[in-house]
Amino acid sequence: MNVCLLNDSFPPVIDGVANAVINYAGVLEGMEGNEVAVGTPGYPDARYDGYPYAVVPYRSYDTTKLISGYRAGDPFEMQAINALKKFRPDIIHSHCPAASTVMARILRKETGAPIVFTYHTKFDVDIAAATESKLLRRESVHALVSNINACDEVWTVSRGAGENLRSLGWEGEFVVMNNGVDFAKGRADDEAVKAATADFDLPAGVPVFLFVGRLMKYKGLPLILDAVKQLSESGTDYRMIFVGSGRDADELKNTVREYGITLYEKTENGITRTEGSLPHGAVIFTGPVYDRNELRAWNTRADLFLFPSTYDTNGIVVREAAACGLASVLIEGSCAAEGITDRRNGYIIEEDPESMFRLLRDVAPDLSEAARVGQNAMDEIYISWEDSVKTAYARYGEILRMKADGELEARRKAVSDVLLDAAAGLIDAFSAAERQRDRLFDSFRENMYGMKENFAEAERRVSMNAENMKSILRRFEDNVREEIVKAWKKQNAIRKTVAGAVKKAASVSAKKTAGAAKTGAGAVAKASVKSAGAVTKAAKKTAGAVTKAAKATGRTAKKVLPGSKKTTGE
């Protein structure tokens, strides 16, 4: 099966959805009989040739100031669409409702392959964060929902994600397809943990709380800081670790300083410490960690994973923590809390700092209880990417069967399809241009072979030695001499004829004699001109032949020696 995966983020950008696409591509490519192509907006200086599957980057625009770290792709770039069209996908799987799904719709028109769309994240929250204009927010959401409506099947990473999508105006059915994690089940070894955490102040016996992800306030991070402030004030020692980077990182660090909590920051110059006024507890910002083994080590070292996000639709990081036997603290009713039973395989709290503080205060004295809950999380909620993608692959097959049987719902032609039709027409024209280019190349290649043969012939001709040229010159000289002798013989014969005519005229009367003499003189002049013309014509004829031969030789030499202005043929 040929699977085309499309997403608006991909390395060098790393986020939860990009990680999902990487794992989909890797698992699918590793299954016998499958080929994968990934389409994504290109980033300057990024390399896309080191993957075991095809990656097709397309033109993008710098929107990093609007959406931190992200570029906007141009879904109408014909070269990229044509490359993906040639891939001949059986399934088109879009993981973003923006540029990726627009490109998916164009590809469906070109290939007939059905579109699967996965709703990973609450994009309305990202839109709200990017613009204050209510009109722009509303129209943006409407456009993205219209894109999703045009897909053949919609998957969500949790039931809560599907309900969120419906709250935005989408009315269709959805299939829950859980994401997996690429962590192996089990804790990292002690050496790996020591290597990852050696630079930080982590005393034995002191509880370690962990957050991994983008440092954005809407993920509930202010709630964590408010809770640990109360923990410090209560006299409980702890270490709160934030792994990641994001738009709100500096504001969060300033809040830690304002609260009087000791702050550790990893910078280019090493670890800096800002002493707080509160005697207990510390907050550590490690910066982004991209090495998966290092992240696994941090999850192994921690005692609880704090994830008070009501924004995330699934929370891969919760399952990554579970893979390492680490229990998570989650908000009641959140998507990330689906499948979690309080104090069995995780902890459920209300969405307020006081609830978080009470839980942390109660767990801190006896970390063995948190370890028990973490082990249950490993046994009950962990799912590998291999298992997750194999489930998705089976659904791909069912979708293709429905397509073959005509069971896929026919989509009504939306107004936006007019633009897509135009784009599809441009793609066809682009394809025709490429075919014409290929034909021209083939013709050029054939001409080159012909020119090569001509060069060989030219070399043979130019190699004509001096003796051949001298032979030509001797023939020229002989021809000129022969023509001149013939001309003079003809002129002498004419003169004899004229002389006879003059002699004959002498026997006539003086008047007639005078007239005959005049006529004779004219004949002599005419004969002289004719005779001279014959000589000139003969000379020109012979000279023309030599000139033609010389020019032919010169042209041949120029083909072989294009830098030379003249050639001798020697």
Side-chain angles (χ1 to χ4, degrees):
M1 185 184 300
N2 288 357
V3 182
C4 175
L5 302 174
L6 300 172
N7 189 42
D8 284 24
S9 62
F10 194 76
V13 173
I14 298 292
D15 58 20
V17 185
N19 186 52
V21 172
I22 291 169
N23 283 283
Y24 260 86
V27 175
L28 288 170
E29 184 72 23
M31 297 170 66
E32 186 176 354
N34 288 344
E35 290 190 19
V36 176
V38 175
T40 188
Y43 279 67
D45 302 324
R47 294 290 301 274
Y48 299 97
D49 55 358
Y51 295 92
Y53 42 83
V55 178
V56 180
Y58 53 89
R59 182 171 54 245
S60 66
Y61 305 97
D62 188 359
T63 54
T64 54
K65 292 182 179 179
L66 182 64
I67 305 176
S68 179
Y70 292 83
R71 294 176 68 89
D74 177 4
F76 298 101
E77 188 195 287
M78 290 181 287
Q79 188 171 2
I81 295 174
N82 203 46
L84 294 172
K85 175 184 174 182
K86 289 180 179 179
F87 173 68
R88 299 180 182 277
D90 299 300
I91 287 283
I92 302 167
H93 191 167
S94 174
H95 293 260
C96 179
S100 293
T101 302
V102 172
M103 182 173 282
R105 293 171 67 183
I106 297 172
L107 279 173
R108 181 175 59 187
K109 286 180 176 293
E110 292 295 307
T111 65
I115 301 173
V116 176
F117 170 74
T118 294
Y119 185 65
H120 288 272
T121 185
K122 297 177 181 179
F123 59 82
D124 57 313
V125 177
D126 287 326
I127 291 173
T131 177
E132 296 181 358
S133 169
K134 292 183 179 180
L135 176 62
L136 184 56
R137 291 179 189 176
R138 183 172 65 251
E139 292 304 315
S140 297
V141 169
H142 175 74
L144 298 184
V145 170
S146 295
N147 266 341
I148 296 171
N149 273 328
C151 297
D152 295 286
E153 182 161 286
V154 173
W155 297 352
T156 64
V157 294
S158 64
R159 181 156 296 279
E163 295 305 322
N164 171 259
L165 182 56
R166 284 202 175 119
S167 73
L168 301 177
W170 186 74
E171 299 177 350
E173 298 297 322
F174 60 84
V175 174
V176 176
M177 192 67 65
N178 290 312
N179 285 334
V181 297
D182 57 4
F183 284 1
K185 181 186 285 189
R187 299 169 64 84
D189 59 58
D190 291 341
E191 292 301 318
V193 173
K194 289 178 181 178
T197 64
D199 294 337
F200 301 95
D201 177 29
L202 302 174
V206 174
V208 175
F209 308 130
L210 177 67
F211 171 86
V212 176
R214 286 188 294 161
L215 301 184
M216 313 291 279
K217 291 191 297 183
Y218 59 64
K219 285 178 173 282
L221 304 189
L223 186 153
I224 293 177
L225 295 183
D226 289 346
V228 297
K229 176 176 180 287
Q230 294 183 56
L231 202 61
S232 292
E233 292 171 340
S234 71
T236 302
D237 200 9
Y238 64 89
R239 295 294 182 270
M240 177 66 225
I241 315 294
F242 287 96
V243 176
S245 60
R247 181 180 59 200
D248 298 330
D250 290 340
E251 184 176 345
L252 294 169
K253 293 174 185 178
N254 288 335
T255 299
V256 173
R257 296 186 186 97
E258 291 172 6
Y259 284 175
I261 304 172
T262 298
L263 171 66
Y264 292 89
E265 301 175 73
K266 186 174 183 178
T267 67
E268 295 179 355
N269 299 321
I271 308 299
T272 62
R273 172 188 168 109
T274 303
E275 191 68 36
S277 58
L278 295 173
H280 302 287
V283 176
I284 299 171
F285 288 85
T286 70
V289 174
Y290 300 116
D291 184 278
R292 304 298 289 166
N293 290 324
E294 187 176 346
L295 282 174
R296 188 163 171 257
W298 273 111
N299 278 277
T300 298
R301 176 63 182 86
D303 297 297
L304 275 180
F305 188 82
L306 309 188
F307 197 67
S309 173
T310 57
Y311 160 78
D312 289 82
T313 54
N314 177 250
I316 292 177
V317 289
V318 172
R319 286 188 167 84
E320 289 177 348
C324 302
L326 180 64
S328 296
V329 179
L330 307 165
I331 301 300
E332 184 178 10
S334 67
C335 295
E338 288 184 20
I340 300 299
T341 301
D342 185 35
R343 296 182 185 272
R344 174 174 173 75
N345 54 14
Y347 294 91
I348 304 296
I349 63 171
E350 297 177 5
E351 192 178 6
D352 64 70
E354 183 67 27
S355 182
M356 173 80 79
F357 158 65
R358 288 196 301 267
L359 174 65
L360 299 181
R361 181 195 60 191
D362 293 345
V363 169
D366 185 9
L367 296 175
S368 62
E369 176 64 14
R372 179 191 66 81
V373 176
Q375 181 62 45
N376 289 339
M378 180 192 292
D379 295 337
E380 297 173 4
I381 71 169
Y382 170 81
I383 179 173
S384 69
W385 268 116
E386 184 174 359
D387 290 340
S388 176
V389 175
K390 283 182 177 178
T391 302
Y393 182 75
R395 186 61 187 174
Y396 286 161
E398 181 65 13
I399 292 170
L400 292 178
R401 183 199 63 75
M402 288 190 291
K403 177 192 173 187
D405 293 345
E407 296 178 16
L408 288 182
E409 180 183 357
R411 300 294 174 179
R412 290 180 297 177
K413 191 177 183 66
V415 174
S416 59
D417 284 342
V418 175
L419 182 59
L420 299 182
D421 286 339
L426 289 174
I427 298 304
D428 290 339
F430 184 80
S431 298
E434 278 202 329
R435 289 193 297 272
Q436 180 64 23
R437 180 198 64 192
D438 293 340
R439 285 196 294 270
L440 288 174
F441 175 77
D442 291 340
S443 176
F444 174 74
R445 182 174 55 191
E446 291 174 3
N447 288 338
M448 285 299 296
Y449 287 142
M451 289 173 66
K452 183 177 179 181
E453 294 174 358
N454 289 340
F455 289 154
E457 176 64 15
E459 183 179 5
R460 186 186 64 79
R461 291 180 178 179
V462 170
S463 66
M464 183 170 50
N465 56 39
E467 192 60 38
N468 290 337
M469 181 59 76
K470 290 177 181 178
S471 176
I472 291 174
L473 293 174
R474 281 197 298 270
R475 287 199 299 273
F476 167 69
E477 183 179 356
D478 292 341
N479 287 339
V480 171
R481 184 181 297 110
E482 184 179 347
E483 291 298 326
I484 290 173
V485 170
K486 288 180 180 179
W488 279 110
K489 286 182 178 179
K490 189 171 183 179
Q491 187 175 18
N492 287 336
I494 292 172
R495 285 175 178 170
K496 289 180 179 179
T497 301
V498 173
V502 172
K503 185 176 180 181
K504 184 177 180 180
S507 62
V508 187
S509 63
K511 184 177 181 180
K512 288 182 178 181
T513 300
K518 184 177 181 181
T519 300
V524 171
K526 184 176 181 181
S528 298
V529 171
K530 184 175 181 181
S531 177
V535 174
T536 302
K537 183 176 180 181
K540 285 184 176 180
K541 180 178 179 182
T542 306
V546 174
T547 301
K548 184 176 181 181
K551 285 184 177 180
T553 303
R555 284 195 301 271
T556 305
K558 286 181 179 179
K559 291 181 180 178
V560 179
L561 306 170
S564 302
K565 294 185 177 180
K566 56 184 178 180
T567 183
T568 62
E570 294 185 352

